[in-house]
Amino acid sequence: MAPLQAIRIQLAGQRRLAGVLGWLVLLSGLSSLVISLHAGPMLLSALSPGDLAMVLKAVAVLGLLLIPISGVISVTSQFAFWRGWLGGLPQPADIFSEPAAATPEAAATRCTIVYLDGIHQSERDHPPRVAAFLALMESRLPSHVRLFKGLETYTVTTARLADDAGGSWFWRRLFALQEHHPNPWVGLICAVLVQANNVIKVGISSDRRYGPILNYELALKVAQRLAEQGFQPGHAPDGRPQELVLLGYSGGGEMALGMAEYLRRICHCPVRSMTFCGVFSGNQLLEQVGEIAMIVGDRDPVAAFGRIAYPGRSPLLPLSNWNKAVKRGQVRRHCINGLSHNGLSGPFSDRNRNAVIAAITGGL
Amino acid sequence: MIEQALDQLARWLMQADAGLGLVALVGLSMSLSHLFALVANRLTPRQIVSQLILDALVLSLALVLASLINMLLLRAFAGAAINPGELLAKLGPSLIPGLFYCFVAAPYISDLIASVIWALIHLNMITLLHMHFNVSYGQALLLATPGFVLALLLVIAVFHQGWQRAYRQLASTLAPTAES
């Protein structure tokens, strides 16, 4: 059998497996919902406590198996891209070899902010509240600073989630289901699955085994998109040094810190990272990266959970990459009172967005 | 209460007697958990398969060595003379959680999964020693721990060496193309 054909068969098998698993999760969730909503008291009373305990145990075991399986499937598609099986893995040297025609705006730019969205992202376009926040921030940026948004943070190719290799079969059907059945339950299940998928990507980026490859692939993608926008490595046309600032919200903070070092090497320019309400491991290569600015809220439980979930950020491990960066004075922390992770007191809310934007622009 | 629960666990494990075949399967599962380190280095499918089988054999050998340590300690301190094959048949089921070691490939939660599996294996070994050789749980803990530690160290050594080598190769792949 020809190697290419074998690879195609293998990938098709992986897609089918991912699809079957996805449908299993979806169907079991939907059937549980239907039973709990429509089952009469007779049916529920027919289940003895022993039966219920058995059902709960089965659900727990299924959950325990599904979590690592979905993680492994996610890693598989990422490695297929790395191996070149899916095509499109560019060589760093080729990205800036053919400069795009620079617009006057690009020519005047000395600092480019790359926005990386949180784990809710499934499309290139940001949700309305995030888009409004970014538009307001853009209007307040100095003339030499440009904002680059609409980047797919959680896919390694330049594709939205529904077109991402490995999982497109599942995601397209899921989003079609959401479109044809616009009820809150289906919407909730879709949102949960999208966020679970993106949380896994954050986990891959934090993993010491898989992180380097995912972060490198993401850095290549960002460099590619920057090149398309007229970004040229090195110095701006006026001779001053170019600078990249990676701005990550929530899980986007992990992706920002993860790819910073690779982007610095590929784009040959200084790279800084900035997170707001960021959830990140701090496991990454941080030594050569510029300042890391953290904008945090005093009412943000999710970002606080990140400090527990990632032991490398604990002061108990002074030799971790993060604690070494703190010791070098590389980390700057800016706390905003009353800021939570999302919702009415989140960073995109009318109440807090001015404070967050001021903290971001003040740090440029 | 705890002793009753452990007795129950031991009876269940004794029913699942599988012996040496289980050791080989656990070795293979452990080897599969680091499959992506091989894929990362762009080895050919043939190289990946041969490396997986080799790792599985080395890891199985580590588990067999740990059983031999248990056998020697049993003979020395509990006076139980038993041949290696019989010992593996009796204590092999303690490795059943290791069949799920391939899930250590899952991102980020891998250390947690590995820790839980190793803890379960140790617990199983203690309960089986108690049931088969009529030693107290305290003695079983003392008898099982040296072999367990040896197996753990050998597995860590195999993975560390393999992963470090893979990581160095990956770094050298990325460095010439990406370094400024």
Side-chain angles (χ1 to χ4, degrees):
Chain A
M1 192 187 291
L4 196 61
Q5 197 186 351
I7 288 161
R8 278 187 188 138
I9 291 169
Q10 187 185 358
L11 282 173
Q14 281 171 7
R15 282 185 198 133
R16 273 198 294 276
L17 182 65
V20 168
L21 279 171
W23 277 110
L24 272 177
V25 174
L26 195 62
L27 285 174
S28 54
L30 282 173
S31 51
S32 308
L33 275 174
V34 170
I35 289 169
S36 60
L37 287 175
H38 297 288
M42 286 291 285
L43 178 63
L44 289 176
S45 62
L47 289 172
S48 68
D51 292 337
L52 279 173
M54 196 182 70
V55 169
L56 284 176
K57 275 181 200 166
V59 170
V61 169
L62 195 69
L64 283 175
L65 290 176
L66 277 176
I67 290 168
I69 287 172
S70 49
V72 170
I73 288 173
S74 192
V75 169
T76 305
S77 62
Q78 176 213 325
F79 273 70
F81 184 65
W82 164 250
R83 293 285 304 242
W85 292 342
L86 305 175
L89 185 69
Q91 288 299 313
D94 299 339
I95 293 175
F96 297 107
S97 59
E98 289 176 20
T103 58
E105 190 195 12
T109 303
R110 288 203 312 276
C111 174
T112 305
I113 301 176
V114 180
Y115 175 68
L116 303 161
D117 212 347
I119 57 164
H120 56 255
Q121 190 184 27
S122 63
E123 291 281 334
R124 190 173 286 182
D125 295 330
H126 301 292
R129 194 177 266 198
V130 180
F133 171 90
L134 292 174
L136 185 65
M137 185 172 83
E138 203 167 10
S139 69
R140 293 182 187 174
L141 291 175
S143 59
H144 66 277
V145 180
R146 195 158 60 123
L147 176 66
F148 179 56
K149 56 195 175 188
L151 189 88
E152 316 81 0
T153 311
Y154 303 96
T155 59
V156 288
T157 55
T158 51
R160 62 196 178 126
L161 192 57
D163 297 327
D164 191 28
S168 60
W169 188 93
F170 171 71
W171 294 114
R172 277 185 196 164
R173 276 157 185 79
L174 185 70
F175 295 142
L177 182 76
Q178 187 182 21
E179 206 173 308
H180 293 117
H181 300 89
N183 71 61
W185 288 110
V186 176
L188 178 71
I189 290 168
C190 284
V192 167
L193 288 176
V194 165
Q195 296 201 12
N197 173 73
N198 293 345
V199 164
I200 289 171
K201 291 290 193 290
V202 172
I204 295 173
S205 174
S206 326
D207 192 292
R208 65 187 188 283
R209 299 165 300 171
Y210 311 137
I213 287 182
L214 176 69
N215 296 328
Y216 176 66
E217 288 172 341
L218 280 174
L220 282 177
K221 185 175 80 169
V222 171
Q224 239 179 339
R225 296 287 299 276
L226 286 170
E228 286 166 12
Q229 301 288 320
F231 177 88
Q232 277 300 307
H235 291 75
D238 63 358
R240 294 185 194 180
Q242 290 257 27
E243 188 186 31
L244 280 175
V245 177
L246 299 174
L247 175 66
Y249 162 63
S250 187
E254 167 62 35
M255 303 321 225
L257 287 171
M259 74 170 91
E261 172 60 15
Y262 294 104
L263 206 57
R264 183 189 72 81
R265 294 185 197 179
I266 294 167
C267 293
H268 308 284
C269 68
V271 176
R272 278 197 284 155
S273 300
M274 211 178 253
T275 69
F276 60 104
C277 304
V279 181
F280 53 87
S281 64
N283 292 341
Q284 297 85 359
L285 304 164
L286 301 172
E287 207 170 339
Q288 303 292 322
V289 178
E291 185 193 59
I292 300 163
M294 294 167 63
I295 298 163
V296 294
D298 62 351
R299 290 175 53 199
D300 184 351
V302 181
F305 173 73
R307 284 198 297 275
I308 301 166
Y310 293 117
R313 287 177 60 195
S314 157
L316 296 173
L317 297 173
L319 296 178
S320 70
N321 285 0
W322 176 255
N323 284 323
K324 282 182 188 168
V326 171
K327 212 172 283 176
R328 283 194 296 271
Q330 205 175 339
V331 179
R332 184 170 58 82
R333 194 169 180 274
H334 182 106
C335 187
I336 296 176
N337 291 330
L339 177 69
S340 68
H341 199 74
N342 47 25
L344 292 174
S345 55
F348 307 117
S349 65
D350 294 341
R351 192 192 303 170
N352 284 323
R353 66 182 181 186
N354 285 322
V356 175
I357 289 171
I360 293 169
T361 51
L364 290 173
Chain B
M1 177 66 185
I2 293 172
E3 289 207 358
Q4 278 175 347
L6 290 173
D7 287 348
Q8 180 67 31
L9 175 66
R11 274 193 289 277
W12 183 80
L13 288 169
M14 282 156 70
Q15 286 167 6
D17 184 358
L20 192 62
L22 202 58
V23 175
L25 283 176
V26 171
L28 186 63
S29 183
M30 285 180 165
S31 177
L32 278 172
S33 70
H34 279 245
L35 169 69
F36 291 106
L38 306 173
V39 182
N41 286 287
R42 295 176 172 159
L43 299 185
T44 63
R46 186 176 291 179
Q47 287 172 314
I48 289 174
V49 170
S50 57
Q51 184 74 45
L52 275 179
I53 292 171
L54 190 69
D55 280 352
L57 289 175
V58 174
L59 292 163
S60 303
L61 188 66
L63 297 172
V64 171
L65 282 175
S67 295
L68 290 177
I69 296 276
N70 287 338
M71 187 185 76
L72 292 174
L73 288 175
L74 270 170
R75 184 170 290 179
F77 296 104
I82 185 168
N83 68 57
E86 200 184 341
L87 184 83
L88 271 180
K90 284 186 172 175
L91 299 184
S94 64
L95 297 173
I96 286 173
L99 290 173
F100 297 96
Y101 209 89
C102 54
F103 288 143
V104 171
Y108 197 69
I109 51 172
S110 55
D111 291 341
L112 178 68
I113 296 174
S115 310
V116 169
I117 287 176
W118 279 110
L120 285 175
I121 287 175
H122 197 39
L123 181 70
N124 288 345
M125 186 67 81
I126 291 165
T127 54
L128 281 177
L129 280 173
H130 167 73
M131 290 302 278
H132 281 301
F133 301 101
N134 203 23
V135 290
S136 69
Y137 281 116
Q139 283 176 311
L141 176 67
L142 288 175
L143 289 172
T145 301
F148 173 78
V149 171
L150 177 77
L152 194 61
L153 289 176
L154 287 172
V155 170
I156 288 172
V158 170
F159 279 150
H160 185 71
Q161 194 264 347
W163 175 244
Q164 288 287 75
R165 192 182 58 219
Y167 197 85
R168 273 198 300 274
Q169 197 169 334
L170 175 64
S172 67
T173 308
L174 292 180
T177 50
E179 188 62 70
S180 58

